[in-house]
Amino acid sequence: MNNVILEVAEQIATVTINRPKSLNALNTETLTELNACFTELEKRKDVRVVILTGAGAKSFVAGADISEMVNATPAEGRAMSLLALETFNKLENMPQVTIAAVNGYALGGGCEICMSCDIRVAAENAVFGQPECGLGIIPGFGGTQRLARLIGKGRAKELIFTCDKIDAQEAYRVGLVNKVVPAEELMDACRKMAAKILSKGSYAVSMAKSVINAGMDMDLTNGLKMEADAFGFTFSTHDKKEGMTAFLEKRSADLTDF
Ligand code: DAK
């Protein structure tokens, strides 16, 4: 792969989008490589947390590659859209927990790809925004939908209509990111969070993720029914028996993967 680096250690995969000269802008080649990378990761049993970041100190992802889009035909635009849709959905729904380590600009498609992750940790220098309306287009990698779900309709509309950029603290204040840390501590903070997640029942975490995601598209009554089914199912697992027995025996639990 030319534009994506995948490293795996201790059940954590780090995926680095690596086009620092273009501030890690997403072109078709990079999206294709990310798609292949996520397809591999979703099958890997030795990976339980995925951290997504950008190469260099300045940018996470500065959006879709404008130099590629400028002369694209409608058919090429559609092909890119379908590829991105598949890639972002794969990222959002993979069984592993995904953490975006936002190390600078997260604009347009960059803001959208971090919103497809489960959790966002931002470096103090991170900048978020949806500048598409200034380019005569609208967010096309899920921004109109995921931003409104994360920060509410009113704030999402303001950001999208004005193309304003917001810093990490403001992103934290409005609920776009989970945590803000000094830039030099970003990867450590993400790994620490990953380690905490790794110490929990992996099947339970994965099941919780899938129930939360599916529930976002349901009404409350059906979401709660789905939760009850999934909750009941966890009572068939080794982890449930071990977790509860360990609590009663006042020892730490030896959780496996089911
Ligand atoms: N695409 C291509 N190249 C980019 C880029 C981008 N998005 N962003 C930066 N670069 C390149 C710059 O052209 C420059 O290249 P050289 O001139 O050195 O060759 C290099 O990266 C460094 O950038 P700057 O010199 O501009 O650096 P500054 O520090 O001055 O400014 C900046 C940093 C991030 C504020 C600025 O670069 C900037 O405003 N970048 C553009 C941000 C942006 O508007 N992003 C695109 C949003 S639109 C679709 C679905 C979705 C989308 C598209 C299609 N379909 C459904 C088909 C999504 C669209 C978007 O993401």
Side-chain angles (χ1 to χ4, degrees):
M1 287 194 277
N2 292 323
N3 302 322
V4 173
I5 301 168
L6 169 62
E7 295 157 295
V8 177
E10 294 167 359
Q11 298 186 285
I12 302 171
T14 304
V15 176
T16 306
I17 299 171
N18 186 33
R19 295 186 74 214
K21 281 188 190 147
S22 306
L23 303 186
N24 304 318
L26 298 174
N27 60 2
T28 303
E29 188 184 19
T30 308
L31 279 173
T32 306
E33 289 181 14
L34 280 174
N35 195 306
C37 180
F38 299 154
T39 303
E40 177 189 333
L41 284 174
E42 67 187 1
K43 290 186 218 134
R44 282 184 67 158
K45 300 277 181 257
D46 61 328
V47 172
R48 288 178 49 200
V49 178
V50 176
I51 299 174
L52 179 68
T53 194
K58 190 170 167 183
S59 181
F60 173 70
V61 170
D65 191 314
I66 298 171
S67 63
E68 189 182 69
M69 283 191 295
V70 67
N71 292 318
T73 63
E76 286 163 345
R78 182 170 181 274
M80 192 179 179
S81 173
L82 291 174
L83 173 62
L85 188 73
E86 186 186 313
T87 307
F88 284 36
N89 283 345
K90 218 168 256 181
L91 175 62
E92 185 165 52
N93 294 310
M94 64 170 57
Q96 294 91 348
V97 172
T98 54
I99 302 175
V102 185
N103 57 316
Y105 290 113
L107 301 176
C111 189
E112 290 167 302
I113 199 168
C114 82
M115 289 192 289
S116 299
C117 292
D118 297 317
I119 294 164
R120 283 149 293 285
V121 180
E124 277 167 349
N125 67 321
V127 175
F128 298 81
Q130 298 285 166
E132 287 86 347
C133 287
L135 298 167
I137 56 175
I138 67 166
F141 293 160
T144 60
Q145 305 305 304
R146 291 195 178 99
L147 189 61
R149 281 168 168 76
L150 267 175
I151 69 172
K153 206 159 66 165
R155 286 200 172 102
K157 283 179 176 171
E158 182 185 344
L159 271 186
I160 290 171
F161 299 166
T162 63
C163 302
D164 279 352
K165 297 184 181 73
I166 57 171
D167 65 15
Q169 287 302 342
E170 177 66 0
Y172 177 71
R173 195 184 70 80
V174 298
L176 179 52
V177 303
N178 299 65
K179 198 176 204 165
V180 180
V181 298
E184 62 281 8
E185 292 169 22
L186 179 64
M187 293 312 287
D188 264 2
C190 291
R191 285 191 204 103
K192 253 188 213 151
M193 188 185 280
K196 202 180 262 187
I197 294 166
L198 288 173
S199 73
K200 311 302 174 200
S202 70
Y203 185 78
V205 168
S206 191
M207 170 81 88
K209 168 173 174 168
S210 116
V211 169
I212 293 168
N213 280 1
M216 295 305 290
D217 296 328
M218 286 182 187
D219 60 78
L220 184 62
T221 306
N222 283 306
L224 291 172
K225 264 191 211 147
M226 175 181 60
E227 182 187 77
D229 290 343
F231 180 80
F233 190 76
T234 59
F235 276 55
S236 68
T237 64
H238 159 275
D239 278 0
K240 174 259 172 186
K241 192 161 193 219
E242 166 62 11
M244 293 191 179
T245 307
F247 173 80
L248 294 174
E249 291 175 356
K250 302 191 188 308
R251 59 175 173 82
S252 56
D254 179 20
L255 301 179
T256 60
D257 61 353
F258 192 64

